DNA sequence: CATTAATATTCGTTTATCCGCATGAAAGGA
DNA sequence: TCCTTTCATGCGGATAAACGAATATTAATG
């Protein structure tokens, strides 16, 4: 179990550990794309794109196919998008909570709770 | 959209970016737990545990509640476990592919493909 | 064979992350 | 008040990651 978590962090998690790589995964969601198109779309240096793609490729998260002088990248398992989308749902909830907190601060400028509301089980 | 991905990497992804933190999330899956128990279970220094918990806490991924001198940590959104589990499925598939590759290497010790098998579409 | 286009890789620098020791802070009990 | 327990935090030091510029590689084309 702990070993599997370590494997996750060698093989899968590096894909999510960087916003640019995650953006690449999203770009590949709609189908295979050549490096050039990814580079144009992301607006960052080609060497950066290539290195990010290397990270994904070495872990089998994307597959490659040569077409002439260009290389087409494909998502190897669409479920990784599914996982990211769940994380986005978690994010949305997080943001809602933050907004609530901000509103509570406005309503109650000094919520110090001097009566120890959090101390539930005084045995 | 690109902004949302950046938010993901500020608020959610750091939780998954480290095997120890992911292990903590799994430990909290079965219910709220105090820091001491997490520390014992993981067998790493208490300061490390506390630091990892701080990363999760500052992002609202876990909630805290004081009970006497100890602090109880709770998973704020169980869906993050769901996302991790999907990543584990992706991992399992990845491992299967690797095993297949390893077997092919055994069968064909020198798979140099001098006939350019990857060049499919010679228009 | 020279050239061009597309992609990969090397390199040095900067930045971020992790770790554990030591210490600080908060609550409870004597 | 002093002490103990429990947790948080301030440090360096070490390690890893990301970045852009320059260069190498590969394939197609003339």
């Amino acid at each position: 179990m702990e070993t599997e978590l370590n494997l996750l962090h060698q093989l899968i998690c590096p894909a999510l550990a960087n916003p640019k790589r995650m953006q690449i995964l999203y770009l590949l969601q709609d189908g295979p794309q050549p490096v050039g198109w990814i580079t144009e779309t992301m607006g960052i240096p080609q060497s950066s794109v290539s290195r990010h793609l290397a990270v994904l490729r070495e872990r089998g998260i994307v597959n490659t196919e040569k077409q002439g002088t260009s290389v087409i990248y494909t998502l190897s398992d669409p479920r990784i998008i599914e996982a990211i989308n769940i994380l986005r749902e978690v994010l949305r909830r997080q943001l809602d909570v933050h907004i609530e907190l901000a509103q509570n601060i406005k309503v109650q400028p000094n919520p110090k709770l001097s009566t120890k509301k959090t101390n539930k089980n005084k045995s």
Side-chain angles (χ1 to χ4, degrees), chain A:
Chain A
M1 159 61 172
E2 190 180 339
T3 307
E4 188 182 351
L5 289 185
N6 287 334
L7 269 178
L8 258 183
H9 278 85
Q10 292 168 29
L11 294 180
I12 309 294
C13 291
L16 312 180
N18 180 287
K20 303 288 168 54
R21 279 198 289 273
M22 203 180 259
Q23 190 181 356
I24 291 177
L25 295 179
Y26 264 91
L27 292 180
L28 294 181
Q29 188 185 9
D30 300 326
Q33 297 289 353
V35 179
W37 182 83
I38 299 173
T39 302
E40 289 175 20
T41 306
M42 297 186 60
I44 63 177
Q46 178 265 328
S47 65
S48 286
V49 172
S50 195
R51 256 182 305 93
H52 285 307
L53 286 171
V55 171
L56 300 173
R57 177 182 1 109
E58 289 160 3
R59 290 166 175 78
I61 295 168
V62 295
N63 298 322
T64 62
E65 177 193 1
K66 268 206 145 176
Q67 278 191 15
T69 69
S70 62
V71 178
I72 312 295
Y73 278 79
T74 312
L75 219 53
S76 76
D77 189 336
R79 277 177 298 186
I80 202 167
I81 297 288
E82 198 181 324
I84 296 176
N85 283 336
I86 291 180
L87 294 181
R88 291 172 73 177
E89 291 178 18
V90 174
L91 169 67
R92 181 178 301 270
R93 182 180 171 287
Q94 231 74 312
L95 294 179
D96 289 348
V97 171
H98 286 176
I99 289 173
E100 275 183 34
L101 288 178
Q103 287 178 345
N104 285 342
I105 289 173
K106 283 178 190 168
V107 174
Q108 313 175 3
N110 191 6
K112 275 198 173 175
L113 309 179
S114 56
T115 53
K116 294 184 180 176
K117 283 184 185 171
T118 59
N119 223 346
K120 288 170 184 173
N121 55 341
K122 26 189 88 174
S123 56

